[in-house]
Structures are given as structure tokens and as C-alpha cells.
Amino acid sequence: MLLPLLSSSGEHRLLDVKEIVYLQTNGEGKLTIYSYDDEYKMISTIKELSDLLEESGFVRTDRGTLIHPERVEAFDGILNIVKLRTRNGEVITPVSGKAQKQIKHYLKSLNEVKTDEE
């Protein structure tokens, strides 16, 4: 699935959802999409994208963040956070209770990412 976006350099681009590491709102409804290499702007709500991207496996970790579970480097069940990586470094984002179950299930199926539980 391709999304039409505006890159940080102002160029219009079609981005494959497989390239997305995570998405986050700024609290005012403006959505930023982060790939490993760049940041993109989209005029859409997190709810609209959440509904659309669920089909591609994205998980809504809190009210303002969607993550691509394949991009999770580590999950800490005690602190309720996931670690992701972009070109600019490590990103840590909180994970709600509902999302924890989804992420744990996904990571257990992969058995590739370290999980810290209790």
C-alpha cells in the first residue's frame, strides 16, 4: 500500500507503508510519519490512518502513536515501552495495555526481539 505524502524537503512522494517505522501526532492533530530515512507530513487524522494501516499490521500504542511492529528493536513490559530506530537514532515510545498484548503476541511469533517481562 502506498501513501501520498510530503517529505521534509517539500517533495511529494508515494511511500510504501513497509518503510514506515512509526507515526505520531503533535497533539494539535498534525501527523508526522517517520521512515528510517526521512519524516513526512500528511493531512489526515491518526484515527483515519489507524483504521487504514491496521490491515498492514500497524499497532496503535497510545492515543497519538502508531508503530510498525516489524520495526521494534526491543520491548520492555515493565516500563511499557518499545524501542524503534530511525536514521536519527533510537526512539522510545510508551505502550498502552491493549497494545502491549498485540506487540507481545507479534514478537513471540517472531522470537527475534528481546522482551523484558517482570
Side-chain angles (χ1 to χ4, degrees):
M1 176 186 316
L2 298 174
L3 296 174
L5 303 170
L6 188 62
S7 73
S8 61
S9 64
E11 298 174 16
H12 290 275
R13 176 167 179 220
L14 291 175
L15 182 70
D16 190 323
V17 297
K18 293 176 184 177
E19 293 181 52
I20 298 172
V21 176
Y22 71 107
L23 303 90
Q24 196 165 42
T25 63
N26 66 355
E28 297 175 1
K30 294 190 182 198
L31 184 63
T32 303
I33 297 172
Y34 298 87
S35 70
Y36 180 80
D37 294 319
D38 206 351
E39 298 176 12
Y40 302 90
K41 301 294 181 193
M42 182 169 199
I43 301 172
S44 182
T45 67
I46 192 96
K47 172 72 173 122
E48 291 168 341
L49 272 180
S50 178
D51 293 344
L52 179 67
L53 293 176
E54 261 182 17
E55 299 170 11
S56 296
F58 281 76
V59 175
R60 191 166 183 172
T61 58
D62 63 27
R63 293 184 69 196
T65 307
L66 288 166
I67 67 164
H68 195 304
E70 291 178 13
R71 304 296 187 141
V72 171
E73 290 195 342
F75 169 72
D76 188 319
I78 297 168
L79 296 176
N80 301 327
I81 59 170
V82 291
K83 294 178 185 176
L84 307 162
R85 181 155 311 277
T86 68
R87 173 183 63 187
N88 296 325
E90 185 176 85
V91 177
I92 297 174
T93 187
V95 179
S96 70
K98 179 181 176 186
Q100 282 182 38
K101 291 177 186 176
Q102 291 174 289
I103 292 169
K104 284 180 189 179
H105 181 268
Y106 178 80
L107 294 178
K108 283 181 183 178
S109 72
L110 286 181
N111 206 15
E112 293 177 3
V113 177
K114 179 179 178 261
T115 61
D116 297 324
E117 299 179 35
E118 302 171 305

